[in-house]
Amino acid sequence: MNNNSTSTNNEALFVFANSVDQQSVKDFVINLINWSGNNAGRPLRVDINSQGGNILDGLMLFEEFARLRRQGHKLTIAVYGRAASVAGWLLQAADVRIIGANSWLLIHEVHSRMEGSLTALKQEVARCEQLQDQTYGLLVERSKLTRAQLDKETANGRDWWLSAPKVLELGLADVVEYASFSNTTTAA
């Protein structure tokens, strides 16, 4: 597990380099709760490199980020490598959103593994539609995207991979951070 914490310039740094699942999120949230209890108001940075995972577990982490912000922690989230699926919209929970210049963000329709009776399948479809509306709403709220644009780009189950410059252009991040040898950043 890569849920490490270090400190630079009074900003605590945590790394989430896992699939978003119940165990990884639970462990990460416990670390954040323990840290925040001893570091009132201290700024926090979370670096993410994740292939995504379970949307409901991602919502737990999103809510934890919101709790930290309500407690007065300035939250910076940076994506290095990839933030796929649910990890992609976790970036939207931050006060400051950074993406590495060589990193990617993936947006797609909600996925589900369904089985059971026809009634159960219909209920699962309705739940997935609600989750789709909720997660796309989070993306629209913090970006220049519209719901119609999201629907078009992800229609028919299509994966929409966005490069760092495109992420910045669409307002899904505030800064593109370039490799340290060039020492350059670009802000929206």
Side-chain angles (χ1 to χ4, degrees):
M1 179 165 50
N2 275 330
N3 292 336
N4 303 319
S5 171
T6 60
S7 175
T8 57
N9 300 335
N10 198 34
E11 180 181 70
L13 172 64
F14 286 81
V15 176
F16 187 85
N18 295 303
S19 293
V20 178
D21 60 40
Q22 188 173 22
Q23 189 63 51
S24 67
V25 169
K26 181 184 107 183
D27 292 344
F28 197 70
V29 167
I30 287 170
N31 287 337
L32 291 172
I33 289 169
N34 290 335
W35 171 83
S36 69
N38 297 315
N39 292 280
R42 185 172 172 197
L44 168 67
R45 178 178 169 133
V46 176
D47 289 354
I48 294 177
N49 178 13
S50 176
Q51 66 186 6
N54 184 287
I55 195 168
L56 296 175
D57 296 322
L59 286 171
M60 179 183 181
L61 188 50
F62 191 90
E63 293 297 336
E64 176 59 20
F65 290 153
R67 183 191 69 80
L68 289 167
R69 291 178 66 208
R70 284 191 306 273
Q71 288 183 338
H73 298 284
K74 180 183 175 190
L75 176 61
T76 299
I77 297 178
V79 172
Y80 296 118
R82 66 182 170 195
S85 186
V86 64
W89 55 260
L90 284 174
L91 178 61
Q92 304 313 305
D95 296 300
V96 178
R97 303 165 300 163
I98 299 170
I99 186 163
N102 299 300
S103 300
W104 292 82
L105 190 126
L106 168 64
I107 301 172
H108 63 71
E109 292 179 328
V110 169
H111 291 189
S112 178
R113 292 189 175 102
M114 299 187 281
E115 63 179 56
S117 69
L118 180 59
T119 300
L121 294 174
K122 288 178 182 178
Q123 291 170 343
E124 180 66 8
V125 167
R127 186 178 72 90
C128 286
E129 288 172 345
Q130 289 176 321
L131 288 170
Q132 183 82 18
D133 289 342
Q134 183 178 1
T135 57
Y136 278 13
L138 292 169
L139 294 173
V140 167
E141 183 179 328
R142 293 279 321 263
S143 73
K144 298 173 187 172
L145 288 168
T146 65
R147 175 60 193 255
Q149 185 178 14
L150 282 167
D151 288 338
K152 177 185 171 207
E153 295 294 342
T154 61
N156 301 313
R158 200 170 44 238
D159 286 347
W160 189 25
W161 282 100
L162 303 167
S163 65
K166 190 69 171 177
V167 169
L168 184 66
E169 175 190 324
L170 293 173
L172 292 163
D174 305 305
V175 175
V176 173
E177 193 170 79
Y178 288 85
S180 60
F181 57 83
S182 68
N183 234 3
T184 308
T185 60
T186 302

